[in-house]
Amino acid sequence: MSGVSLATGHRSDLAHTTTTTAPDMKSDQKSWPDQQRHQSAAAQAAGGGVMGSLRIIELQLVAFIMVFSASGLVPLLDILYPAFTTAYLIGLAQFAFPSHHKRLGADSNAASQEIFHGSRMFRFYVILGTTVGLFLPLAYVLGGFARGDEHAVRSATPHLFLLSCQILTENVISGLSLFSPPVRALVPLLYTVRRIFVIIDWINDVWINKALPANADIRDVIWFWFGRGLAVGNFAYFSINLFCFLIPRFLPRAFERYFMARDEVHSKMEEDKRSAAMNKAEKQDKKSN
């Protein structure tokens, strides 16, 4: 949600693990080719497990998106926003920030997948955002269905819809080399900006348009303040996420990686030109002799 699938480099971490542990296995009785085959198989198995998990998550998110879209609880503007964002990202990937993976090769591209390497505190921050932004609002919506509180369901559903679209988009483009780091970093940025306005509407609904009955029991009071606190908590978290992480740290890091890769491509092209010119000069010298 804060660029989690883009900020953590699962593929590069896996490659780094397999390459750094290989020299430590020299004392094993297996030959080096056997060790390489064994590590390759282990890497494929681990990668298959990760990709399998992502497939399950993506299918669940697609189910959420379809249910939310068909329920009539999501405004038309929020339904159209993911389509506009996807088209805009594809346009950026084609014309503004094309990927350099073809010229850099597979190894360099794998290394460039990781935009931001987070610490343990950052991972705790991500888990907190997942809880506040996804799990608790989902529980709030399901509880609203169970309690017959249509107002609560209608208030929180647009946020969940956009968040599901964001996570699905992040999971999909993180595995496609077509999208460069700046384009991938813009996914959480664009969705977070829109969701902040949606959360403001959510706060307006639960704080202004909804009142607690005078004869409410303790469970209704707890539910009422849970909805208010959840809306404010989401607004606080994603505002901090936008202005303190995505804009000042995540987006500049993505552009830094992108321009470093572009400079590497340019240097390789210059080297290729020089080597081609030297080879041509050598051939002319040989013909003249």
Side-chain angles (χ1 to χ4, degrees):
M1 302 162 347
S2 56
V4 177
S5 58
L6 308 180
T8 54
H10 298 291
R11 295 176 183 83
S12 59
D13 292 344
L14 180 61
H16 177 72
T17 302
T18 54
T19 54
T20 53
T21 54
D24 296 334
M25 298 177 64
K26 289 182 179 180
S27 58
D28 197 356
Q29 294 180 356
K30 293 181 180 180
S31 63
W32 180 248
D34 293 337
Q35 293 175 9
Q36 285 185 319
R37 285 194 295 269
H38 175 72
Q39 292 171 3
S40 223
Q44 290 176 0
V50 172
M51 292 306 296
S53 300
L54 288 180
R55 295 288 185 272
I56 295 174
I57 294 174
E58 289 167 7
L59 290 175
Q60 292 174 344
L61 292 175
V62 169
F64 275 126
I65 292 170
M66 293 178 65
V67 170
F68 290 150
S69 302
S71 64
L73 299 173
V74 182
L76 180 61
L77 178 62
D78 293 330
I79 293 178
L80 295 177
Y81 187 79
F84 164 76
T85 302
T86 301
Y88 181 65
L89 292 173
I90 293 175
L92 289 178
Q94 290 292 331
F95 304 107
F97 304 106
S99 178
H100 301 303
H101 74 282
K102 293 182 179 179
R103 293 177 178 176
L104 287 175
D107 294 338
S108 298
N109 182 57
S112 65
Q113 290 291 331
E114 182 182 356
I115 296 178
F116 188 87
H117 182 70
S119 61
R120 289 184 179 180
M121 184 62 67
F122 175 75
R123 295 183 186 278
F124 171 76
Y125 168 77
V126 169
I127 294 173
L128 177 64
T130 305
T131 304
V132 173
L134 181 62
F135 295 144
L136 291 181
L138 182 59
Y140 183 66
V141 169
L142 295 178
F145 276 117
R147 295 172 60 90
D149 190 351
E150 184 180 350
H151 190 275
V153 174
R154 188 173 297 274
S155 299
T157 297
H159 161 73
L160 276 176
F161 172 79
L162 290 174
L163 186 60
S164 300
C165 293
Q166 175 186 337
I167 298 174
L168 178 63
T169 305
E170 288 182 0
N171 286 340
V172 171
I173 73 169
S174 63
L176 298 177
S177 57
L178 168 67
F179 297 96
S180 60
V183 178
R184 290 186 281 124
L186 283 173
V187 175
L189 186 66
L190 292 174
Y191 274 101
T192 301
V193 170
R194 176 57 192 163
R195 279 192 298 105
I196 285 180
F197 288 99
V198 171
I199 294 172
I200 291 175
D201 293 335
W202 181 7
I203 292 176
N204 183 69
D205 285 340
V206 296
W207 280 85
I208 299 176
N209 297 334
K210 185 177 182 180
L212 188 65
N215 57 347
D217 59 15
I218 186 63
R219 290 179 298 179
D220 293 333
V221 173
I222 293 174
W223 176 256
F224 178 78
W225 284 103
F226 172 68
R228 284 189 166 188
L230 186 60
V232 173
N234 272 272
F235 178 77
Y237 178 88
F238 288 107
S239 297
I240 293 173
N241 183 53
L242 176 64
F243 294 109
C244 299
F245 173 69
L246 290 178
I247 294 177
R249 300 195 65 187
F250 192 62
L251 191 62
R253 185 70 60 86
F255 278 102
E256 179 184 358
R257 296 293 176 90
Y258 178 78
F259 289 122
M260 287 176 60
R262 189 189 65 175
D263 293 341
E264 186 177 350
V265 168
H266 290 168
S267 63
K268 285 186 177 181
M269 292 177 62
E270 292 296 330
E271 290 179 0
D272 293 340
K273 288 181 181 179
R274 286 196 295 267
S275 61
M278 292 177 61
N279 292 334
K280 185 177 180 180
E282 291 177 358
K283 291 181 179 178
Q284 291 179 351
D285 292 339
K286 289 181 179 179
K287 289 181 179 178
S288 61
N289 294 332

